[in-house]
Amino acid sequence: MNVMAKAKKKISSAFIYFFGSFGGILFGYDIGVMTGALPFLQADWHLENAASLVGWITSAVMFGAIFGGALAGQLSDKFGRRKMILMSAIVFMIFSVLSGVSPDIGEASAYYLIIVRMFLGLAVGAASALVPAYMSEMAPAKARGRLSGLNQTMIVSGMLLSYVVDFLLKDLPGEWAWRLMLGLAAVPALILFLGVLRLPESPRFLLRKGDEAQARKVLSYIRKNPAEIDQELASIKETAKEERQANQKTSWSTLFSSKYRYLVIAGVGVAAFQQFQGANAIFYYIPLIVQKATGQAASSNLMWPIVQGIILVIGSLVYMWIADKFNRRTLLMVGGAVMGLSFILPAVINWMMPNMNPMTIVVFLCIYVAFYSFTWAPLTWVLVGEIFPLAIRGRASGLASSFNWIGSWLVGLIFPIMTASMPQEAVFAIFGIICILGVIFVKTCVPETRGHTLEEIEEQGTNHGRVKATNPEN
């Protein structure tokens, strides 16, 4: 026992934070991998004119993730964050392999892959919920902002990794190319599983289960002095007590009471707008977008996803640098305005200049991705983590996550259907209008949270509710 304790003692905080956030790699890899696999899959299964099937194959992961996040949150309260991350890695490995060995049995192959990717989505949704929870419970308060940025960096790094893998495999025979692209997702899942085997359980979960001695031991791995550990243990106990009391007094209807409605609408609205603005249409379909713009085969356009991935990684690093230097609302409004214009201007230019260079739309998409990467992409989850009062935080955060995944699923599903029935510039112009509506929403419905304590944010919401109740015409 002493030998094991000493072995665990050697685990560095860097190792814990790296593998604690490594689940973001799975999330990002599976978002990105279908980008490269889809052109080969379409050709191999003759799906070029089956827009709805293409949409379902692409979006099935997000459909499963809607349920995976909620299920993992409940199970992790019972079995622990660490065990559920391990389980997610196993599920991810199994269904990644099953994706790669999809049988070639005509149209039924597409339905097989859709079902398999729905189960894969359970693991993706679980990772998206469990990783931030584990990291927030392990990280010291002063480092939580940077570590939330680390999670975002892991996600976009996973996307970039998948784009590079897709590019390296593109010259294989069509069937082998897409099968290896999908199947190799099992490799980062295996790395995650092996890394998390050495991770400790979160001290917060251990305290909830009454194991204070083990919680103290875990904190000793990642905190500097005994006084800091004692203070944090006391704080966790107090917060857990408050949460138990809050959960006993609240229900789903509480979210829409006059006291909390303003903050719930703000947080859930930002989470929904992040996806309905159309970012994932680019991430999933950029080779097909370039193909439609230029006439070149999508399978020859796999350098463009890598360009997008590099922009996303750089943007996540920019965010970590500017996160606490600008107001949340300012970044969201500036980012949303530029994103909206990046979608609308190609349609305007094409209307005024019908012979517009077809690559113009791709350049504007790069501008969109750049501003999305350091504004709406990371800030949505920072704001969702800050804006909900303690009494409703669990339910409200779950509702925001569900709306986000629903938006992601719908965009992935309907984009190929929309582009099959109208000009590509018109489709992006619709998303651009949604971006502008998002800016208006932030301007009118979202309070500033930077520099405010959680109590001050709650007071803003409460006061806003009182004003609305007194002056309903406002």
Side-chain angles (χ1 to χ4, degrees):
M1 188 72 176
N2 288 336
V3 174
M4 289 183 66
K6 288 179 181 177
K8 280 197 170 186
K9 191 71 173 177
K10 293 178 183 177
I11 301 175
S12 69
S13 59
F15 182 93
I16 290 173
Y17 297 141
F18 178 81
F19 278 103
S21 63
F22 195 83
I25 293 281
L26 303 191
F27 184 12
Y29 188 97
D30 210 79
I31 287 176
V33 70
M34 189 53 76
T35 303
L38 195 57
F40 297 98
L41 186 62
Q42 278 185 298
D44 192 32
W45 286 356
H46 309 292
L47 300 175
E48 290 87 349
N49 298 316
S52 59
L53 274 180
V54 169
W56 267 108
I57 290 172
T58 304
S59 65
V61 165
M62 286 75 77
F63 185 79
I66 296 170
F67 306 99
L71 187 63
Q74 294 180 26
L75 292 177
S76 69
D77 285 340
K78 184 176 182 180
F79 298 110
R81 316 316 186 208
R82 176 181 171 275
K83 287 182 181 177
M84 290 309 301
I85 293 175
L86 286 171
M87 184 60 66
S88 299
I90 292 171
V91 172
F92 199 98
M93 277 189 280
I94 292 171
F95 287 97
S96 294
V97 172
L98 290 177
S99 296
V101 298
S102 299
D104 193 351
I105 49 177
E107 190 173 297
S109 302
Y111 294 107
Y112 166 90
L113 188 55
I114 289 168
I115 293 170
V116 167
R117 283 177 59 76
M118 283 183 184
F119 280 100
L120 188 60
L122 293 175
V124 172
S128 72
L130 293 169
V131 168
Y134 183 84
M135 291 293 285
S136 67
E137 293 176 7
M138 296 297 286
K142 61 185 178 183
R144 279 183 192 142
R146 290 197 308 276
L147 288 170
S148 68
L150 175 61
N151 182 47
Q152 175 67 16
T153 301
M154 283 288 190
I155 292 171
V156 295
S157 296
M159 293 172 69
L160 178 57
L161 174 65
S162 72
Y163 297 150
V164 171
V165 169
D166 289 349
F167 182 80
L168 294 176
L169 298 178
K170 69 182 176 65
D171 293 325
L172 292 175
E175 182 177 353
W176 279 102
W178 70 260
R179 289 185 184 279
L180 277 175
M181 289 172 186
L182 298 183
L184 284 175
V187 175
L190 177 61
I191 295 171
L192 174 66
F193 180 83
L194 295 175
V196 174
L197 278 177
R198 293 192 63 206
L199 292 186
E201 185 51 85
S202 85
R204 184 169 196 168
F205 174 79
L206 292 168
L207 270 179
R208 287 182 62 180
K209 294 300 179 183
D211 193 349
E212 184 171 341
Q214 187 63 26
R216 182 178 294 276
K217 181 186 285 188
V218 171
L219 283 173
S220 72
Y221 303 154
I222 51 180
R223 301 293 185 265
K224 292 182 179 180
N225 57 68
E228 185 180 2
I229 293 171
D230 291 338
Q231 182 179 0
E232 186 156 352
L233 283 171
S235 176
I236 293 172
K237 287 180 184 178
E238 181 61 28
T239 301
K241 180 181 176 182
E242 291 176 2
E243 285 182 348
R244 282 195 300 270
Q245 293 173 345
N247 289 334
Q248 290 170 359
K249 297 177 182 177
T250 61
S251 63
W252 283 103
S253 62
T254 309
L255 272 61
F256 302 100
S257 66
S258 60
K259 181 176 181 180
Y260 298 122
R261 188 185 307 127
Y262 171 61
L263 295 177
V264 170
I265 290 173
V268 173
V270 167
F273 267 111
Q274 187 205 41
Q275 291 302 327
F276 284 108
Q277 288 167 337
N280 281 347
I282 302 173
F283 304 146
Y284 301 145
Y285 298 111
I286 185 65
L288 300 180
I289 292 169
V290 177
Q291 174 182 285
K292 191 157 186 175
T294 65
Q296 300 173 356
S299 57
S300 66
N301 288 315
L302 296 188
M303 180 58 73
W304 280 105
I306 294 178
V307 172
Q308 307 284 0
I310 292 171
I311 293 172
L312 284 168
V313 171
I314 293 173
S316 72
L317 298 176
V318 169
Y319 166 73
M320 292 176 71
W321 177 53
I322 68 171
D324 295 317
K325 297 181 180 180
F326 297 94
N327 285 344
R328 316 286 195 234
R329 279 162 40 94
T330 300
L331 288 174
L332 288 173
M333 287 189 289
V334 170
V338 176
M339 287 154 54
L341 290 174
S342 299
F343 275 161
I344 293 170
L345 285 177
V348 174
I349 294 172
N350 187 58
W351 174 65
M352 297 175 66
M353 303 169 56
N355 296 322
M356 175 185 78
N357 187 321
M359 289 304 291
T360 301
I361 190 171
V362 181
V363 173
F364 276 104
L365 293 185
C366 290
I367 296 172
Y368 174 100
V369 171
F371 277 81
Y372 175 81
S373 68
F374 67 86
T375 58
W376 281 83
L379 274 170
T380 294
W381 299 112
V382 172
L383 194 140
V384 165
E386 294 172 333
I387 202 168
F388 298 129
L390 178 64
I392 60 167
R393 188 169 301 152
R395 288 186 172 89
S397 297
L399 187 64
S401 178
S402 294
F403 268 84
N404 188 264
W405 278 116
I406 290 169
S408 179
W409 165 59
L410 285 174
V411 168
L413 177 64
I414 67 174
F415 181 78
I417 299 172
M418 293 173 70
T419 54
S421 59
M422 66 178 76
Q424 197 162 242
E425 292 84 359
V427 175
F428 283 118
I430 292 171
F431 285 127
I433 292 170
I434 296 174
C435 290
I436 300 302
L437 292 175
V439 172
I440 296 170
F441 177 82
V442 171
K443 175 70 174 175
T444 58
C445 300
V446 178
E448 181 56 56
T449 60
R450 171 178 170 258
H452 293 283
T453 66
L454 298 181
E455 290 74 23
E456 288 171 345
I457 296 167
E458 181 172 352
E459 184 63 23
Q460 287 185 66
T462 302
N463 289 340
H464 191 276
R466 289 193 191 118
V467 170
K468 286 290 184 183
T470 304
N471 302 297
E473 70 278 6
N474 294 338

